[in-house]
Amino acid sequence: MTTAHPKVVVIGGGTGLPVLLRGLKYYPIDITAIVTVADDGGSSGRLREELGIPAPGDIRNVLVALSRVEPLVEDLFQHRFSSGDQLTGHALGNLILAAMTSITGNFVHAIQEMSKVLNVSGNVLPSANKSVMLHAKMEDGTVVSGESMIPQAEKTIDRVFLTPETIEPVEETIEAIREADIVVLGPGSLFTSIIPNLLVPQIAEELCKSAAKKIYVCNVMTQLGETHDYKASDHVLAMYKHVPRPFLNTIIVHNGEIPKEIQTKYKEEKAIPVDYDRRTLEKLGLHVIADDFIQYDGDVIRHNTRKVAQTIFSLLHQE
């Protein structure tokens, strides 16, 4: 008799989510990735505009992160055309997902079929099964529309919201949250990759009701136009502003040294290390796990996927 694997739900988008999933897929767990479809830039934005489908770019990256195929197949799916009037900038995987949506008549079904082709470890689900637009209300009262435009405004965000007003959640995402043993949010752009998922009706409510351990993997660096000067607790409070009530149990934060030359590089983008204010986090009722959680890809800071994944897996066995 086989024992069912623990169920882990990971919520996010952008470049942070695939990094985490590449580490988690090697553990004996059932993974469900719930991915934002609010992207409106580049290839995703063009396909969304022309075909009226949810943005496929973040979904494509997550499928590749969880795939178990030859590197050449992965490279093919990620290939981005650099010539041709209509093809320039498009990722082949985005075009395939768009074609599969047309064939199956349903974006979720398209993802499921591509998951079979790519031998994906786990389930990949969009947070919404239709095209949505992300908007940000700034502290000065102005509203900026479009996921790609929000950080470029370089203003302080008060809150974000989605249109259209009637958005149905994907039924499988609600079931996955209800059955989860652990739910992980992040890492990733707070207002444009993580919070948009919480704005889809019922997702936030189910997270608040869930008995699962709920973990936030905090970003290592601040982001201009989103989290400028944010401490770790500010990230948490921003999420809480968009949900019915506090829901997190645990936060994973980096507390190791970052070389001066790397910090100097990030300062050019007005990004600084996120200050993890342990006392405030503990006052918010959070279990704080602080360690050296990063590695370097040239001058770029990334979470150490193996170390973060091992930390999350270890939490499954802690009371």
Side-chain angles (χ1 to χ4, degrees):
M1 182 176 171
T2 57
T3 305
H5 290 322
K7 296 181 186 294
V8 177
V9 171
V10 187
I11 300 174
T15 57
L17 184 57
V19 168
L20 178 58
L21 292 171
R22 285 183 186 277
L24 282 174
K25 73 178 179 183
Y26 294 105
Y27 285 87
I29 54 177
D30 283 342
I31 299 173
T32 297
I34 298 174
V35 189
T36 180
V37 288
D39 185 12
D40 68 341
S43 172
S44 277
R46 287 161 62 191
L47 291 170
R48 199 176 90 150
E49 189 73 26
E50 291 174 28
L51 304 176
I53 63 171
D58 285 356
I59 294 282
R60 181 193 85 245
N61 288 327
V62 167
L63 286 170
V64 169
L66 287 173
S67 68
R68 294 178 186 267
V69 290
E70 292 294 322
L72 188 60
V73 177
E74 186 175 317
D75 291 344
L76 179 68
F77 202 66
Q78 292 288 58
H79 176 73
R80 198 174 289 275
F81 293 95
S82 57
S83 61
D85 289 344
Q86 301 301 319
L87 281 176
T88 299
H90 276 306
L92 182 59
N94 288 355
L95 296 175
I96 293 172
L97 278 167
M100 193 65 80
T101 303
S102 179
I103 291 165
T104 62
N106 184 292
F107 189 57
V108 174
H109 293 164
I111 296 166
Q112 290 167 344
E113 292 304 316
M114 286 314 304
S115 294
K116 295 174 191 172
V117 172
L118 292 170
N119 192 22
V120 163
S121 303
N123 298 310
V124 179
L125 296 166
S127 54
N129 199 12
K130 68 193 292 186
S131 183
V132 298
M133 176 70 79
L134 183 68
H135 312 266
K137 183 174 181 290
M138 304 298 180
E139 283 194 351
D140 66 4
T142 59
V143 174
V144 177
S145 298
E147 180 266 351
S148 61
M149 302 304 295
I150 291 167
Q152 291 182 30
E154 295 188 13
K155 292 183 175 182
T156 304
I157 298 169
D158 177 42
R159 62 190 310 117
V160 289
F161 60 97
L162 296 176
T163 56
E165 288 184 11
T166 53
I167 302 167
E168 292 293 322
V170 176
E171 194 175 311
E172 292 93 333
T173 65
I174 302 305
E175 289 175 14
I177 293 169
R178 285 175 180 167
E179 295 174 2
D181 296 298
I182 276 186
V183 179
V184 184
L185 293 95
S189 298
L190 182 64
F191 287 100
T192 54
S193 291
I194 297 171
I195 292 176
N197 297 288
L198 307 180
L199 303 177
V200 176
Q202 233 185 308
I203 287 182
E205 288 87 342
E206 292 298 335
L207 271 177
C208 291
K209 288 192 290 188
S210 169
K213 287 180 181 174
K214 284 154 284 190
I215 304 160
Y216 174 53
V217 183
C218 190
N219 294 335
V220 177
M221 305 296 290
T222 62
Q223 186 176 354
L224 182 65
E226 289 210 35
T227 55
H228 188 59
D229 283 340
Y230 268 39
K231 295 181 171 66
S233 64
D234 294 320
H235 288 72
V236 174
L237 292 170
M239 278 186 276
Y240 286 178
K241 194 171 187 175
H242 293 81
V243 297
R245 60 183 179 276
F247 65 93
L248 292 168
N249 315 114
T250 301
I251 184 168
I252 291 173
V253 291
H254 172 71
N255 71 346
E257 287 295 317
I258 298 171
K260 286 283 192 294
E261 62 271 20
I262 301 283
Q263 290 196 45
T264 301
K265 197 85 175 166
Y266 273 85
K267 273 182 183 173
E268 292 171 12
E269 300 171 15
K270 299 182 181 176
I272 59 172
V274 172
D275 176 20
Y276 91 97
D277 43 344
R278 179 184 283 272
R279 189 168 295 178
T280 307
L281 292 168
E282 288 174 346
K283 281 182 181 175
L284 289 170
L286 294 173
H287 171 215
V288 181
I289 300 175
D291 204 341
D292 189 330
F293 280 114
I294 61 174
Q295 58 189 27
Y296 300 97
D297 181 3
D299 289 336
V300 179
I301 297 170
R302 302 274 187 223
H303 275 89
N304 184 323
T305 180
R306 295 293 174 94
K307 189 165 183 177
V308 176
Q310 196 279 326
T311 301
I312 291 167
F313 184 72
S314 71
L315 288 170
L316 282 164
H317 308 290
Q318 291 178 16
E319 288 302 320

